[in-house]
């Protein structure tokens, strides 16, 4: 074989190895979380881990490792965020795809990208200095750093994802659907809510689930802006501590290779699985709408 | 009546778009108006003083730049190589579908999980310790799926005829990629790389335990030292400092610098894409 052909074959292998690396990284992350996480379990019982809401690993004598209140907290802020972000995001996506003039679109789309570019620590900062104090004043709370504060901030953070994906889905609805509706005498609004949105339904759901995934995995914003109380929250006006925040707070302080240290990896494994499942569901639903028309 | 409903409906869509704009506008206005008052040359070039209640943020800026450079050196070559494979070589079989699925799911892994991975593998496993290198590699992993996706997109936008032209002249596949495909994709690759790095520069969770420090009196002298970073500095100045109210203006200033840093990179990427789009429509 000539040198040129050898180089050609070598290049091919090099690129293949680089691509396979991404599979290895994903497997490595999962494997590492399972391996380190499982080492916490001779000391902690599975039942306590998943069903106790008492997380107090540094208690003298009898430390407890229940993550139930963290899971509830994570879903509380995420669902709150979705209640705010879904109507706003889908509304904005529909506006962009069906109402806005090309000039408005040209301005709005980069603006939304800019919103996505704001680092989460800056959003958390806004939660501390503006949104939290504002909520405290409006609702008469002692402290504005609550689940509600986190939900509002996470809503802002997941808006760009929801808008972009939902707009794609709405845009992908064939023009013939719209024309048929107009031909039957429907106006723009009726066409949008009776024809276009139902046709884009699965894509919009995928957008919402992707936005949820983003909110579940967000760390800095909830760490800074939700008060970080480990107790089981009773509602949106309570401070909460999510899974992400717990890892962020405690990993820096625990000695390596203790039960407490490994238990944080176990929390990470649960978080990883939840976000993996959320992403896979979004992918399945998105794949369905992509091949529909 | 129908007209009335349509009017309300369409305007409620418009209102939701305005609300989104309002969020962005409000965040920018708050940070830029309040951060602007502490911004000065000395704020950018000085070390923090008196328990970080005075002085500037120079080591945090330098640390962020340094760690982003390590991220670049790691993520860009690997990302481009993987993207070349996916765009130019990969056929539709189960191995390649697995690779694509892995990349999509890596993009959805929470950033704090990358932090855990960095601690277990880079800091401990490979014995790099808490350092610029460990943080840079952790951020590199986080950025990798993003670089791969945008680079693949850029490669796919190079017309097929460019590849075929080189192959027809007797070039091997690699030669056609090197001389015809890659040069045509450079603007797209650069845009994606800049955006990926701007995200990495603003991330806090992955560096929390892999090398960032609260306060250092010296700049890191190499990639094995700890470092200060802008996002972490903003975090401690707004939550961990002993006199939070006193340092609030400095926190605003830090937020302003961090946002400017990220926005400048984004605008740069936007300009490259814009310029290239106008040029290459053949």
């Amino acid at each position: 074989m000539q040198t040129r052909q050898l180089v050609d074959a070598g290049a091919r292998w090099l690129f293949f190895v680089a691509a396979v690396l991404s599979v290895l990284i994903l497997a490595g992350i999962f494997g590492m979380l399972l391996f380190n996480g499982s080492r916490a379990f001779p000391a902690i019982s599975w039942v306590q881990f998943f069903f106790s809401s008492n997380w107090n690993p540094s208690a003298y004598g009898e430390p407890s490792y229940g993550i139930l209140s963290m899971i509830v907290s994570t879903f509380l802020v995420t669902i709150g965020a979705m209640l705010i972000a879904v109507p706003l995001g889908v509304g904005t996506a529909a506006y962009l795809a069906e109402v806005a003039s090309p000039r408005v679109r040209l301005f709005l789309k980069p603006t939304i990208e800019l919103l996505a570019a704001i680092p989460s620590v800056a959003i958390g900062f806004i939660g501390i200095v503006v949104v939290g104090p504002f909520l405290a004043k409006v609702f008469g709370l002692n402290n504005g750093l609550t689940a509600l504060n986190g939900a509002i901030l996470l809503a802002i953070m997941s808006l760009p994802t929801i808008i972009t994906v939902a707009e794609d889905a709405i845009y992908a609805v064939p023009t013939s659907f719209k024309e048929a509706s107009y031909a039957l005498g429907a106006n723009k609004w009726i066409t949008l809510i009776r024809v276009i949105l139902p046709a884009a339904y699965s894509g919009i759901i995928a957008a919402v689930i992707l936005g949820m995934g983003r909110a579940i995995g967000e760390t800095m914003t909830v760490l800074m802006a939700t008060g970080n109380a480990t107790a089981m929250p009773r509602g949106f006006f309570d401070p909460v501590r999510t899974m992400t925040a717990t890892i962020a707070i405690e990993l820096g302080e625990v000695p390596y290779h203790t039960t407490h240290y490994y238990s944080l990896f176990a929390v990470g494994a649960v978080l990883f699985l939840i976000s993996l499942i959320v992403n896979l569901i979004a992918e399945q639903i998105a794949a369905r709408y992509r091949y529909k028309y | 009546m129908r007209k009335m409903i349509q009017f309300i409906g369409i305007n409620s869509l418009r209102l939701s778009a305005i609300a989104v704009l309002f969020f962005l506008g409000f965040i920018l206005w708050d940070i830029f108006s309040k951060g602007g008052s502490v911004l000065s040359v000395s704020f950018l070039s000085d070390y923090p003083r008196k328990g970080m209640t005075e002085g500037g943020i120079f080591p945090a800026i330098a640390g962020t730049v340094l760690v982003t450079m390590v991220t670049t050196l790691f993520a860009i070559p690997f990302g481009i190589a993987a993207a070349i494979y996916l765009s130019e070589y990969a056929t539709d079989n189960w191995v390649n579908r697995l690779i694509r699925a892995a990349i999509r799911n890596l993009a959805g892994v929470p950033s704090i999980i990358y932090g855990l991975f960095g601690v277990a593998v880079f800091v401990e496993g490979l014995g790099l310790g808490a350092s610029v290198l460990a943080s840079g590699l952790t951020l590199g992993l986080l950025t990798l799926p993003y670089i791969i996706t945008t680079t693949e997109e850029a490669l796919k936008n190079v017309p097929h005829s460019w590849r075929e032209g080189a192959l027809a002249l007797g070039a091997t596949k690699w030669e056609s990629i090197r001389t015809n495909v890659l040069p045509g994709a450079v603007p797209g690759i650069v845009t994606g790389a800049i955006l990926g790095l701007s995200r990495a520069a603003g991330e806090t969770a992955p560096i929390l335990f892999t090398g960032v420090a609260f306060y250092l009196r010296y700049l890191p002298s190499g990639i094995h030292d700890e470092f200060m970073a802008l996002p972490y500095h903003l975090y401690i100045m707004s939550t961990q400092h002993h006199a939070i109210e006193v340092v609030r203006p400095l926190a605003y200033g830090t937020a302003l610098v961090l946002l400017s840093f990220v926005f400048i990179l984004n605008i740069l990427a936007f300009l490259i894409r814009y310029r290239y789009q106008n040029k290459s429509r053949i």
Side-chain angles (χ1 to χ4, degrees):
Chain A
M1 248 195 319
Q2 286 181 349
T3 327
R4 285 176 62 213
Q5 263 115 23
L6 273 177
V7 171
D8 192 51
R12 191 202 156 95
W13 270 103
L14 201 70
F15 298 143
F16 178 67
V17 168
V20 167
L21 191 73
S22 53
V23 181
L24 296 182
I25 293 170
L26 189 66
I29 291 175
F30 190 42
M32 177 279 301
L33 289 172
L34 283 186
F35 180 70
N36 273 353
S38 67
R39 285 156 93 175
F41 281 98
I44 312 172
S45 86
W46 289 95
V47 178
Q48 188 201 38
F49 187 71
F50 283 109
F51 296 106
S52 159
S53 59
N54 189 7
W55 175 266
N56 195 356
S58 47
Y60 184 75
E62 217 169 306
S64 47
Y65 295 92
I67 65 165
L68 189 62
S69 63
M70 285 177 218
I71 296 181
V72 171
S73 297
T74 294
F75 281 100
L76 185 68
V77 287
T78 303
I79 289 166
M82 290 304 112
L83 289 177
I84 301 166
V86 171
L88 280 182
V90 176
T92 306
Y95 176 76
L96 273 173
E98 295 297 324
V99 183
S101 67
R103 273 178 64 190
V104 172
R105 200 157 43 223
L106 202 66
F107 163 75
L108 260 178
K109 290 196 81 167
T111 313
I112 288 163
E113 278 176 42
L114 214 54
L115 185 61
I118 297 179
S120 56
V121 68
I123 305 268
F125 178 65
I126 290 292
I128 292 176
V129 294
V130 182
V131 185
F134 172 78
L135 292 176
K137 206 189 287 171
V138 170
F139 295 106
L141 310 167
N142 294 327
N143 188 343
L145 301 182
T146 56
L148 179 62
N149 193 19
I152 292 173
L153 299 169
L154 288 181
I156 296 176
M157 297 198 66
S158 46
L159 271 170
T161 310
I162 296 178
I163 294 171
T164 317
V165 182
E167 197 219 338
D168 273 348
I170 296 171
Y171 212 78
V173 175
T175 324
S176 55
F177 284 34
K178 221 188 300 180
E179 286 160 356
S181 170
Y182 287 152
L184 292 170
N187 62 22
K188 199 166 191 166
W189 173 249
I190 298 288
T191 304
L192 180 70
I193 58 165
R194 291 274 179 79
V195 178
I196 298 176
L197 290 186
Y201 179 72
S202 51
I204 293 172
I205 298 290
V208 172
I209 297 175
L210 280 175
M212 252 179 88
R214 179 123 205 243
I216 289 172
E218 179 46 49
T219 307
M220 295 316 289
T221 305
V222 288
L223 171 64
M224 293 165 81
T226 60
N228 294 322
T230 52
M232 181 66 90
R234 284 158 305 169
F236 281 109
F237 293 120
D238 276 355
V240 293
R241 192 161 116 179
T242 62
M243 290 185 275
T244 52
T246 302
I247 300 172
I249 291 169
E250 295 180 10
L251 191 66
E253 292 167 0
V254 298
Y256 285 178
H257 310 297
T258 55
T259 302
H260 186 185
Y261 175 77
Y262 291 129
S263 71
L264 294 175
F265 284 87
V267 174
V270 174
L271 176 65
F272 178 88
L273 279 178
I274 292 175
S275 55
L276 189 72
I277 291 168
V278 165
N279 283 315
L280 288 175
I281 292 174
E283 207 171 274
Q284 282 300 314
I285 295 174
R288 212 185 302 159
Y289 96 81
R290 220 167 280 142
Y291 299 115
K292 208 152 80 178
Y293 308 118
Chain B
M1 185 62 193
R2 278 178 57 187
K3 278 222 166 109
M4 179 88 163
I5 293 172
Q6 157 148 310
F7 178 80
I8 295 169
I10 299 285
N11 277 301
S12 64
L13 299 184
R14 190 169 281 131
L15 269 180
S16 56
I18 291 171
V20 174
L21 277 184
F22 169 77
F23 289 144
L24 178 68
F26 184 81
I27 293 169
L28 295 186
W29 175 77
D30 190 61
I31 289 179
F32 278 78
S33 65
K34 291 180 186 154
S37 59
V38 296
L39 199 66
S40 64
V41 175
S42 65
F43 184 69
L44 298 176
S45 62
D46 278 2
Y47 277 67
R49 285 194 308 268
K50 300 196 175 153
M52 300 206 288
T53 57
E54 284 177 25
I57 55 169
F58 175 67
I61 298 174
T64 290
V65 171
L66 186 63
V67 84
T68 309
M69 276 160 56
V70 174
T71 303
T72 311
L73 289 178
F74 170 69
I76 305 253
F78 272 113
I80 292 178
I84 290 176
Y85 175 76
L86 288 175
S87 156
E88 307 298 316
Y89 294 95
T91 51
D92 189 28
N93 60 27
W94 70 270
V95 178
N96 298 330
R97 278 198 294 272
L98 181 70
I99 293 173
R100 285 181 193 282
I103 292 167
R104 278 197 302 273
N105 283 298
L106 272 178
V109 171
S111 57
I112 188 82
I113 301 282
Y114 284 99
L116 282 172
F117 188 75
V119 169
V121 175
F122 297 131
V123 175
E124 268 205 87
L126 299 177
L128 299 177
S131 61
V132 172
L133 185 58
S135 284
L137 290 175
T138 309
L139 287 175
L141 290 182
L142 178 108
T143 324
L144 198 57
Y146 191 78
I147 305 267
I148 296 175
T149 317
T150 52
T151 304
E152 191 192 347
E153 194 80 7
L155 293 170
K156 287 226 157 109
N157 282 334
V158 175
H160 264 288
S161 54
W162 294 19
R163 295 177 178 83
E164 287 153 8
L167 295 174
L169 291 172
T172 62
K173 186 149 188 166
W174 161 239
E175 284 164 346
S176 109
I177 292 169
R178 192 175 44 118
T179 58
N180 285 18
V181 181
L182 278 178
V186 163
I189 296 175
V190 171
T191 307
I194 293 175
L195 289 177
L197 294 174
S198 90
R199 284 167 134 203
E203 276 291 349
T204 318
I207 60 174
L208 274 178
F209 329 107
T210 54
V212 80
F214 197 86
Y215 170 68
L216 296 169
R217 285 173 54 214
Y218 306 99
L219 288 183
S221 59
I223 54 171
H224 294 290
D225 287 356
E226 294 194 356
F227 61 100
M228 289 176 71
L230 275 176
Y232 185 66
H233 196 67
L234 175 55
Y235 167 62
I236 55 176
M237 291 299 254
S238 50
T239 60
Q240 308 284 300
H241 198 278
H242 60 86
I244 285 176
E245 294 302 326
V246 179
V247 298
R248 180 100 338 137
L250 295 178
Y252 264 110
T254 311
L256 170 62
V257 174
L258 176 64
L259 272 191
S260 309
F261 192 80
V262 168
F263 281 179
I264 287 169
L265 288 176
N266 271 268
I267 290 166
L268 194 67
F270 181 78
L271 290 179
I272 294 171
R273 186 166 55 187
Y274 187 75
R275 205 186 134 100
Y276 165 72
Q277 269 176 353
N278 289 351
K279 251 191 188 168
S280 72
R281 285 284 144 83
I282 310 161

